[in-house]
């Protein structure tokens, strides 16, 4: 057995520049300086999508390491101090606690981590989204690991032909269930087709139980009990040699699917694949964005990134996303552009309902 590497991606919105559109360069410099000085890490990369800072870190301390989580927490605290100094919007909004309590899960930041033994070649993709929620990954993960029209490897690669195991989380009741695909695809789709509640947490290779993909499933509003913004989730996918090829893992985003989030976290819109440099959502604070950074892992070192969605082959996807955004925006405050009432519980909706409840008369 070789040594295991842990890849941790931890993100937080600690203040937007300007509004909810971007991260101030001084915040990114602060984060990079702190991670550079840590003896805990093998390697790291600091980046952003929209107004979220993303810390991509490799180490040998395993998942849920208190030391790594505390490092991330202290990094976000330092960035928050910079944000407050610059009077950035929503400074520290994702930090729901006053002090670190051993693990950042449940404290605001989004977390995706996986531990594995490096293969002869270890390509990974880190996906980062802004202005949406964890359920945004359901459609692309399904396409990557269960749809042969997207991933031809499911048919022609003997290592993939048996399918994959999908761990699905119920974010409301805090339960999980594992589906074996392809034979349980129809059962799984009943649940993952409702991404506001059911999210694919992880995917495993059948037979070996080797981790193939994992996502962040933190829902800020459920943790805070009030509206504090969308969750802006992250996803890690390992590629090649029994997993989807890099191109198969990227392919789902060539057709922008509808996700929840966008303006005030209360609207549906297309998920637009973009480069880091064009990841600032400005139109109606959107439309929602996704960035894909590729790394070649070697002894824990992150060689990269390759900014995959900077490729011109995603120009049509962006055009389509803009056309969808144009259409759905014309619906204004009407569903399905505005989210269903169940998703509006952290807005003015409860206050208005309470104020007007006596004016509702029974219909004879």
């Amino acid at each position: 057995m070789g040594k295991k590497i842990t890849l941790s991606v931890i993100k937080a919105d600690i203040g937007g520049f300007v509004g909810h559109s971007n991260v101030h360069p001084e915040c990114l410099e602060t984060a990079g300086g702190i991670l550079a000085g840590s003896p805990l890490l093998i390697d790291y990369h600091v980046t952003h999508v929209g107004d979220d800072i993303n810390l991509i870190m490799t180490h040998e301390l395993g998942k849920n390491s208190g030391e790594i989580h505390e490092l991330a927490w202290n990094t976000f605290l330092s960035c928050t101090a910079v944000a407050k100094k610059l009077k950035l919007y929503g400074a520290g909004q994702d930090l729901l606690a006053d002090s670190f309590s051993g693990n950042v899960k449940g404290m605001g930041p989004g977390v995706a981590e996986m531990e594995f033994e490096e293969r002869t070649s270890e390509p990974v993709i880190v996906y980062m989204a802004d202005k949406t929620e964890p359920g945004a990954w359901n459609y692309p993960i399904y396409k990557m690991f269960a749809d042969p029209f997207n991933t031809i490897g499911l048919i022609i690669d003997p290592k993939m032909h048996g399918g994959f195991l999908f761990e699905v989380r119920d974010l409301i009741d805090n339960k999980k269930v594992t589906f074996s695909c392809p034979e349980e695809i129809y059962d799984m789709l009943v649940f993952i087709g409702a991404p506001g509640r059911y999210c694919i947490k992880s995917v495993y290779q059948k037979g070996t139980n080797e981790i193939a993909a994992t996502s962040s499933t933190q829902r800020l509003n459920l943790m805070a009990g009030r509206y504090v913004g969308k969750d802006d989730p992250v996803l890690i996918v390992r590629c090649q040699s029994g997993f989807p090829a890099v191109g198969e893992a990227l392919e789902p985003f060539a057709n922008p699917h509808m996700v929840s989030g966008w303006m005030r976290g209360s609207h549906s819109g297309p998920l637009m694949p973009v480069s880091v440099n064009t990841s600032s959502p400005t139109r109606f604070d959107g439309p929602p964005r996704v960035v894909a950074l590729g790394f070649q892992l070697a002894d824990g070192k992150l060689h990269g990134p390759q900014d995959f969605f900077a490729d011109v082959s995603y120009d049509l996807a962006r055009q389509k996303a803009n056309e969808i955004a144009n259409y759905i925006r014309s619906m204004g405050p009407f569903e399905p552009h505005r989210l269903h009432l169940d998703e509006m519980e952290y807005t003015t909706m409860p206050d208005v309902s309470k104020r007007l409840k006596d004016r509702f008369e029974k219909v004879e």
Side-chain angles (χ1 to χ4, degrees):
M1 288 282 290
K3 68 178 180 182
K4 286 194 170 183
I5 297 295
T6 308
L7 175 57
S8 300
V9 182
I10 306 181
K11 55 71 56 181
D13 178 351
I14 53 78
F17 170 66
V18 172
H20 290 292
S21 65
N22 211 325
V23 173
H24 194 281
E26 195 174 331
C27 293
L28 293 173
E29 288 169 20
T30 298
I34 294 170
L35 297 191
S38 173
L40 301 174
L41 303 180
I42 302 172
D43 204 359
Y44 71 92
H45 180 74
V46 175
T47 187
H48 78 100
V49 53
D51 58 356
D52 297 291
I53 294 178
N54 292 265
L55 311 178
I56 303 170
M57 302 171 286
T58 56
H59 53 92
E60 295 178 35
L61 298 175
K63 295 188 298 180
N64 299 316
S65 162
E67 291 176 285
I68 295 297
H69 284 217
E70 186 173 24
L71 172 63
W73 180 260
N74 289 338
T75 301
F76 292 137
L77 277 183
S78 297
C79 293
T80 297
V82 174
K84 287 180 176 175
K85 178 190 75 173
L86 297 170
K87 295 189 176 181
L88 300 184
Y89 189 73
Q93 75 168 31
D94 278 9
L95 307 185
L96 304 182
D98 295 323
S99 59
F100 182 72
S101 59
N103 191 306
V104 294
K105 289 181 180 177
M107 297 178 70
V111 183
E113 298 182 291
M114 58 166 64
E115 185 182 23
F116 53 87
E117 203 174 307
E118 280 185 14
R119 297 168 292 167
T120 307
S121 181
E122 192 64 64
V124 298
I125 304 175
V126 177
Y127 297 92
M128 299 160 286
D130 186 30
K131 303 298 182 283
T132 187
E133 63 184 9
W137 301 132
N138 283 9
Y139 171 82
I141 294 175
Y142 172 79
K143 300 289 282 184
M144 290 175 208
F145 290 95
D147 182 4
F149 280 78
N150 180 92
T151 301
I152 188 60
L154 292 166
I155 295 174
I156 64 176
D157 183 347
K159 293 180 182 176
M160 295 177 70
H161 196 73
F164 290 89
L165 301 173
F166 292 72
E167 181 189 315
V168 175
R169 298 272 178 98
D170 178 341
L171 302 188
I172 305 298
D173 284 349
N174 203 28
K175 293 180 177 178
K176 65 180 181 179
V177 59
T178 298
F179 293 99
S180 179
C181 294
E183 61 271 28
E184 293 185 315
I185 277 178
Y186 297 160
D187 290 345
M188 183 172 75
L189 283 169
V190 169
F191 296 95
I192 66 171
R197 176 165 184 168
Y198 298 98
C199 294
I200 300 172
K201 172 62 180 174
S202 297
V203 180
Y204 300 89
Q205 193 176 48
K206 269 194 198 171
T208 65
N209 276 339
E210 186 79 7
I211 184 74
T214 194
S215 70
S216 61
T217 52
Q218 289 73 26
R219 286 202 62 184
L220 273 174
N221 299 336
L222 297 181
M223 291 188 282
R226 58 188 168 86
Y227 180 68
V228 290
K230 269 304 183 200
D231 316 280
D232 308 328
V234 291
L235 167 69
I236 306 169
V237 177
R238 296 170 75 192
C239 298
Q240 311 291 157
S241 302
F243 300 137
V246 167
E248 292 169 336
L250 295 169
E251 178 66 9
F253 298 96
N255 186 38
H257 63 291
M258 296 292 281
V259 298
S260 297
W262 207 342
M263 170 61 74
R264 302 181 188 273
S266 302
H267 294 79
S268 296
L271 188 61
M272 181 187 282
V274 294
S275 65
V276 173
N277 291 337
T278 56
S279 71
S280 301
T282 57
R283 182 179 180 189
F284 201 58
D285 281 357
R289 308 291 162 111
V290 58
V291 164
L293 296 186
F295 296 92
Q296 202 71 47
L297 269 180
D299 299 319
K301 289 286 186 182
L302 292 161
H303 296 281
Q306 182 158 337
D307 193 344
F308 283 125
F309 292 149
D311 182 5
V312 294
S313 64
Y314 289 92
D315 287 351
L316 282 178
R318 288 184 274 272
Q319 181 181 327
K320 188 172 185 179
N322 277 322
E323 289 169 355
I324 295 170
N326 248 4
Y327 167 74
I328 200 74
R329 276 297 303 125
S330 70
M331 306 305 291
F334 287 86
E335 296 177 13
H337 183 31
R338 193 182 75 179
L339 297 185
H340 188 270
L341 284 182
D342 294 347
E343 294 285 313
M344 301 293 285
E345 59 185 307
Y346 302 109
T347 67
T348 55
M349 184 65 70
D351 293 337
V352 175
S353 298
K354 190 175 178 183
R355 181 159 45 84
L356 297 183
K357 73 177 184 351
D358 293 335
R359 287 172 55 184
F360 280 84
E361 301 173 18
K362 191 169 184 178
V363 178
E364 297 301 332

